[in-house]
Amino acid sequence: MEINKDAKKELRKKILAIRREMTREEVAAGSGRLAEHLFTWPVYQNAKNIMLYLAMPDEPHLDKVISHALAAGKTICVPHMRETRGLMDAAIIANLEDLVVGQFNLLTPNPATLNLLEPSELDLIIVPGVAFDKTGRRLGMGAGYYDRFLLRANKAELIGAAWAAQILETVPTDEHDKPVNYLLTEEGIFPCR
């Protein structure tokens, strides 16, 4: 177990360093291509209730996806981190103005107007990750928020969103790590084998 923990920590450090080298322009251009791939994907087109993440500066940004999905009449949820570390909920947002600056200077749902959706109601979850492998295994930031949440989202299709450089042959995982079924990058959408 300790060997796996160290392997995850080392890999996290290496991949995050690559991600942090990206310029704002590269992030913006890649995010646009990633969104375009998603818009033509039948699973996205048919999904009614979608959860996605609010990006850190060097992650694929999903603002275009949020705007597109809301314009199409879809229900959009973003993570709401509970006071208890490692636990999160799906918070419904009506527009990008429903977000406020929260912990770590990241956008978060406004606690004053919080409206939650049961995870079992989600059709599609776009999952962030530090790294993914081609079988859909995911290396997260290490706090376990998504691993715990995804257990409750039993009917949702799971697609991991990352830069192509974050897709590896294999990533170290533990038994509780939930894999995704598809990978979304600036290069396209790929089913996991």
Side-chain angles (χ1 to χ4, degrees):
M1 186 67 173
E2 203 55 43
I3 292 169
N4 211 19
K5 194 174 182 181
D6 291 343
K8 284 182 171 187
K9 190 176 173 182
E10 278 308 304
L11 185 58
R12 228 178 248 119
K13 203 163 109 181
K14 181 179 156 192
I15 298 296
L16 289 174
I18 293 168
R19 209 169 79 179
R20 289 179 182 134
E21 287 175 8
M22 293 180 72
T23 65
R24 276 185 162 157
E25 294 75 22
E26 288 170 327
V27 169
S31 297
R33 289 194 304 275
L34 191 133
E36 292 301 322
H37 296 306
L38 196 62
F39 298 157
T40 61
W41 190 43
V43 176
Y44 167 80
Q45 292 170 343
N46 294 325
K48 302 276 183 266
N49 298 326
I50 300 173
M51 182 166 176
L52 39 75
Y53 62 89
L54 298 167
M56 289 187 240
D58 54 6
E59 283 183 301
H61 289 229
L62 300 176
D63 298 11
K64 282 183 180 170
V65 177
I66 293 172
S67 299
H68 184 273
L70 289 170
K74 298 176 185 298
T75 299
I76 290 297
C77 297
V78 297
H80 168 259
M81 306 310 177
R82 291 190 202 168
E83 293 291 320
T84 307
R85 181 175 157 78
L87 297 180
M88 71 180 194
D89 296 299
I92 299 170
I93 60 167
N95 55 56
L96 291 168
E97 285 70 50
D98 283 354
L99 303 173
V100 295
V101 176
Q103 197 177 11
F104 310 117
N105 213 22
L106 298 173
L107 288 176
T108 184
N110 188 340
T113 57
L114 208 56
N115 181 13
L116 303 178
L117 184 74
E118 280 298 317
S120 60
E121 296 296 312
L122 292 164
D123 303 313
L124 175 63
I125 303 175
I126 302 171
V127 183
V130 173
F132 293 90
D133 68 19
K134 293 174 181 173
T135 65
R137 292 182 302 194
R138 172 183 169 272
L139 177 67
M141 292 297 273
Y145 284 97
Y146 274 89
D147 295 317
R148 289 179 191 91
F149 181 83
L150 295 176
L151 292 173
R152 297 167 32 224
N154 50 358
K155 76 170 193 167
E157 191 66 78
L158 306 179
I159 185 167
W163 304 118
Q166 293 172 262
I167 310 301
L168 309 174
E169 277 308 311
T170 184
V171 296
T173 54
D174 295 310
E175 241 173 71
H176 64 265
D177 294 334
K178 186 136 172 63
V180 298
N181 307 317
Y182 295 89
L183 295 171
L184 167 65
T185 75
E186 70 277 23
E187 295 175 0
I189 293 177
F190 309 95
C192 297
R193 40 173 212 272

